[in-house]
Amino acid sequence: MKFVILTGENIKTLIVFFLSLALGFVVSRLPLPGLGEAGRITLGIFTTAALLWVLEPFPLYVTSFVIVILEVIFLAREGGPLGLSGNQYTIFLNPFFDSVVVLFLGGFVMARAVKRYGLDERISRGIMRRVGVKPSIVLLGMMVTTAFLSLWISNTATTALMVAVAIPIIKRFPDGEPFRHALILGIPFASNIGGIGTPIGTPPNAIAMGILNQMHRDINFIDWMIRGIPVVVILTALCWIMLCRIFPPRIHRIEMELDEEEPMDRKSKFILVVFSLVVLLWLTSPYHGIPAAVVALIPLVVFFGLRLLGGDDLNDLGWGILFIIGGGMSLGIAMRESGLSQWIVGLIPFAGMNKIAILFIFAVAAAVMTTFISNSATANLLLPIVVGVTAVSAETSAVVVALAASAAMILPISTPPNAIAYGSGLIDVRTMMKGGSVITLISIVVIVLFIYLLF
Amino acid sequence: MAHKHCKETARLEHCEHCGSTEMKNNMYFCKGENIKVYVECAKCGRYVTRYTLSGYTSNKTYESLLRKFRFLSINSGKRTKQTVESFGKEVEQEFGHVRDLIRTQEDERRIEEIIETDYREGLD
C-alpha cells in the first residue's frame, strides 16, 4: 500500500511548523536586556508554541510534545542553561501525569460511563419534562440543565446532547421568531459557563490548579467549587435574562413532546452511585485526606474492572486534552525556572496599579485571546505569566484567568460548543456576536468582581 | 475523493447461499455495548454477516454529527467549525464515490479476503 505523506495539507502543516520554529529561533537570539540565556531560549519556545496554538497547523496536543522536545534539547541538556544533569530533564515530562491530569482523567472516565449508559440524556429529558410551556422558562430549563451537565461532562459533549434536545423544540416556534436564537445560543453559552464550576469542567481550570500546585499554592476540589459555582449561578441567570431581552419571545406557549421516562436499569443505577460517591469523596478530600487525584482513579478501577466500560472507551478518552494540559504545565515550568515569567511581568508597569485594574487586564486579555484561540491554549500561554505578578495573589490571578478563558461567546470558532450551535444553521455569525459580546462583557465583570471581592 | 491517499477498493455484500445482493439490516442495541448489525439475506432469509458499529451517520448528517460529538474530546473551535461545515458534504461525496467504484471496478474477491489481506485488524 502506498502511503503518501506530502499531501497538500501536510505541506502547509510543515511550512507553518518550520516557520514557527524559525521565528522561535530568531526570538531566542534577540539580545534582550535583563533576560539570561535560559530565558531567551524559553521565550523562543514560548513563541513557537504560541504560533502553533494560534495557527493550528496540527492538533493542539501535538504542540505539547513539540514543547517538551524543545525544552529537553535546548534547556535540559547536560551543561545546558538550566544546569540540569542526568535524568533531571524529566521535570518537563512529569506534568503529563501530574495530579490534575489524573484528576481530569478520572473525570473523563466518569463522563464516558454517564454518556455510554445514557444518564446525561436521562437527566436532560427529566429536567425538560418539568419546565412547563412558557418559552422563557423552557430556555431557563435548558440553560440550567446544560450548565449542570457541563460541570461534570465536557462542554462539547453537553452542547451536542442539548442541541439535539433543543432542535425539535425550536422547530415548533414559527419562522422569524426571535426567541429561536435565544434557545440555540443559550446552550453553548450555558455550557461554556458551566465548565467554570468544577476543576474537571474544562481544561483551563485544571491548568490553573496544576500551575498553582507546582508553586505549592494548593487549591483543592472544594476550594475551586466555592469560587466557581457561584459564578456559574450568577452568569447563567444573567445570561438567561440578557437572551430573553435581546431575543424576546413573541409567543407565550410552547408545547414539547418528550418521550416517557423509562425505569433506570441496574447498571445505570450502579454508575450513578459510583459517580455520586466519587464526587462526595472529591468534595470531602480535606477531611479524609485521600488526594482528589487518587479518588479519580476509583472510577477507572471500578468501571473498567467490572467491564462496564471497555477497550474502545479507553481509546476514546480525551487523551489529547490531557496532553494539552500536560504541555501547558511543562511550558509553565520552563517559564518559571528560566526566569522568563518574572522578566515578562517586569516589562508590564503594574507598580502602583490598583489590584482590581490588574485583574480586569488579565480577564480582558484572556477573554480576547479565547475568542480566537482555544481556551486551553489561552490558559497555557497566560497562566505562567500572571501567576508571577506579585501585586495580586497567584491564586486570585490564576482563577480569574482560568474562568475568563471560558468567556468565549462571541464567534463560532471561539469554542467547540459555539461551533456546534452555529452548525445547526439556526443562527448566523452576526446573531452570535450580538448575544455573545454582551454575555462576554458581563462575564468579565462578574468574574473579576466576585473573585476580587470575596477571595 | 482526491484527498484519499490509500489503496481503495469496494465490494457489494453478497449472500453466500443464494448470491443475492438484497439485504436486511437487523440492528441490535444493548445499553453500554457497541451497536451490532446482523445482516440477513432479503431473498433467502439466511444470516450473511455481522457488523459492529463504531459510528452511525444517517442522511440527517447534523444530527449524526451531534451524536458523534457526544463521544469526542475536542478542544479547538476552529476545527469543530470546519468539521460541522464539511461533514455532510463529505459523507455525500464519499457515498457517491463508493457507488461509482462498485459500478465501475467492483472488487471480485470475497469480503473476508479483502479484510484479511488489506485490513487485518478489521475483523472482530
Side-chain angles (χ1 to χ4, degrees):
Chain A
M1 195 169 11
K2 196 179 167 194
F3 176 55
V4 182
I5 296 176
L6 288 179
T7 62
E9 200 182 353
N10 281 351
I11 290 170
K12 212 169 97 186
T13 297
L14 287 172
I15 291 171
V16 175
F17 175 61
F18 284 113
L19 279 178
S20 303
L21 279 181
L23 208 65
F25 177 75
V26 170
V27 168
S28 73
R29 311 301 293 176
L30 294 175
L32 297 165
L35 189 63
E37 190 194 354
R40 286 202 309 273
I41 292 171
T42 309
L43 185 60
I45 297 172
F46 181 86
T47 307
T48 299
L51 287 169
L52 294 176
W53 272 327
V54 171
L55 301 173
E56 289 188 42
F58 35 55
L60 298 169
Y61 56 82
V62 177
T63 301
S64 291
F65 298 122
V66 172
I67 290 169
V68 175
I69 292 170
L70 296 176
E71 285 172 340
V72 173
I73 293 175
F74 295 106
L75 288 172
R77 65 177 193 276
E78 288 277 346
L82 284 183
L84 301 178
S85 59
N87 66 354
Q88 284 180 312
Y89 71 90
T90 54
I91 60 164
F92 296 121
L93 288 172
N94 294 342
F96 286 83
F97 210 69
D98 185 271
S99 58
V100 292
V101 173
V102 178
L103 179 68
F104 228 75
L105 176 64
F108 279 154
V109 172
M110 294 222 295
R112 185 80 191 176
V114 163
K115 287 182 280 184
R116 193 171 250 304
Y117 289 88
L119 286 169
D120 52 345
E121 216 167 330
R122 179 178 284 277
I123 293 167
S124 68
R125 292 188 193 279
I127 298 176
M128 292 312 294
R129 256 185 227 106
R130 291 164 177 82
V131 295
V133 292
K134 200 176 169 194
S136 59
I137 303 300
V138 170
L139 173 63
L140 182 64
M142 266 188 203
M143 290 180 68
V144 168
T145 311
T146 308
F148 173 74
L149 288 173
S150 72
L151 293 173
W152 313 106
I153 298 172
S154 85
N155 298 352
T156 309
T158 305
T159 305
L161 167 71
M162 291 306 295
V163 167
V165 173
I167 283 177
I169 300 171
I170 295 170
K171 283 184 178 163
R172 288 177 164 263
F173 281 83
D175 285 341
E177 162 66 51
F179 201 65
R180 287 165 70 119
H181 295 149
L183 284 165
I184 196 69
L185 283 175
I187 295 168
F189 292 174
S191 180
N192 294 333
I193 292 168
I196 285 173
T198 63
I200 58 166
T202 188
N205 307 356
I207 297 164
M209 277 177 76
I211 286 179
L212 288 171
N213 290 352
Q214 283 169 0
M215 298 169 73
H216 308 292
R217 311 283 282 267
D218 286 357
I219 224 177
N220 61 36
F221 207 96
I222 188 83
D223 287 338
W224 189 279
M225 285 188 75
I226 288 169
R227 289 162 173 82
I229 293 294
V231 174
V232 172
V233 173
I234 297 167
L235 284 183
T236 306
L238 291 175
C239 183
W240 171 64
I241 293 167
M242 291 315 297
L243 286 175
C244 288
R245 280 180 174 249
I246 300 171
F247 309 105
R250 286 188 197 144
I251 58 171
H252 304 293
R253 196 179 163 84
I254 181 75
E255 298 292 345
M256 288 189 291
E257 273 179 22
L258 291 164
D259 302 338
E260 281 300 304
E261 200 164 0
E262 284 177 22
M264 204 186 275
D265 61 34
R266 280 187 184 178
K267 282 182 181 174
S268 302
K269 281 180 189 164
F270 179 72
I271 284 161
L272 203 59
V273 169
V274 175
F275 187 100
S276 309
L277 186 74
V278 169
V279 171
L280 186 72
L281 287 171
W282 273 337
L283 297 178
T284 52
S285 191
Y287 305 105
H288 54 66
I290 305 172
V294 176
V295 172
L297 295 173
I298 293 173
L300 269 111
V301 173
V302 174
F303 294 152
F304 286 104
L306 295 176
R307 293 179 181 80
L308 289 164
L309 293 178
D312 288 349
D313 298 296
L314 186 69
N315 294 340
D316 291 343
L317 291 178
W319 297 106
I321 290 178
L322 300 181
F323 296 146
I324 293 171
I325 297 171
M329 286 164 57
S330 184
L331 183 62
I333 291 175
M335 289 179 71
R336 211 172 40 255
E337 295 292 320
S338 67
L340 176 63
S341 294
Q342 284 308 315
W343 183 79
I344 294 175
V345 169
L347 294 179
I348 310 164
F350 285 123
M353 212 186 261
N354 192 314
K355 275 184 194 175
I356 201 161
I358 296 174
L359 290 176
F360 265 112
I361 291 170
F362 291 166
V364 170
V368 170
M369 281 173 73
T370 197
T371 300
F372 301 100
I373 65 173
S374 101
N375 61 1
S376 309
T378 299
N380 280 342
L381 295 171
L382 270 184
L383 281 166
I385 297 171
V386 302
V387 293
V389 176
T390 49
V392 188
S393 82
E395 290 91 334
T396 307
S397 304
V399 172
V400 164
V401 166
L403 301 194
S406 287
M409 324 281 187
I410 298 176
L411 295 174
I413 58 155
S414 303
T415 61
N418 297 8
I420 291 172
Y422 170 75
S424 69
L426 294 164
I427 38 162
D428 54 21
V429 177
R430 191 185 287 185
T431 310
M432 183 171 271
M433 287 176 81
K434 188 176 162 188
S437 39
V438 178
I439 312 296
T440 300
L441 281 175
I442 291 173
S443 303
I444 291 170
V445 174
V446 169
I447 289 166
V448 172
L449 290 183
F450 181 80
I451 300 296
Y452 173 75
L453 294 174
L454 295 180
F455 299 95
Chain B
M1 288 193 296
H3 63 283
K4 287 277 178 191
H5 296 282
C6 58
K7 181 188 166 191
E8 57 177 8
T9 188
R11 167 87 170 142
L12 207 58
E13 192 81 71
H14 288 69
C15 173
E16 294 254 325
H17 302 282
C18 68
S20 171
T21 54
E22 288 172 34
M23 305 289 155
K24 280 185 190 170
N25 290 335
N26 299 280
M27 301 192 67
Y28 173 69
F29 304 89
C30 177
K31 205 172 261 186
E33 287 180 18
N34 284 332
I35 297 163
K36 293 191 178 96
V37 185
Y38 290 87
V39 181
E40 173 192 344
C41 174
K43 210 167 179 185
C44 68
R46 291 201 175 138
Y47 166 77
V48 177
T49 189
R50 184 186 75 181
Y51 302 123
T52 306
L53 289 193
S54 64
Y56 179 79
T57 309
S58 72
N59 58 354
K60 291 181 177 175
T61 42
Y62 180 67
E63 277 84 345
S64 299
L65 195 58
L66 288 180
R67 263 193 303 279
K68 198 173 161 187
F69 278 136
R70 279 183 64 198
F71 289 91
L72 282 181
S73 297
I74 35 178
N75 200 251
S76 163
K78 264 183 222 166
R79 282 184 189 259
T80 310
K81 185 169 169 277
Q82 282 166 5
T83 307
V84 168
E85 286 171 341
S86 62
F87 187 69
K89 281 181 215 151
E90 269 175 26
V91 172
E92 283 282 328
Q93 277 174 0
E94 272 180 21
F95 173 59
H97 176 68
V98 172
R99 222 169 33 177
D100 287 348
L101 263 181
I102 287 177
R103 275 191 202 133
T104 55
Q105 42 177 310
E106 185 177 0
D107 199 320
E108 293 299 318
R109 293 174 295 167
R110 292 173 64 234
I111 289 184
E112 283 97 325
E113 205 185 325
I114 299 173
I115 293 172
E116 276 166 19
T117 314
D118 300 344
Y119 308 95
R120 273 173 209 282
E121 291 171 7
L123 292 172
D124 71 347

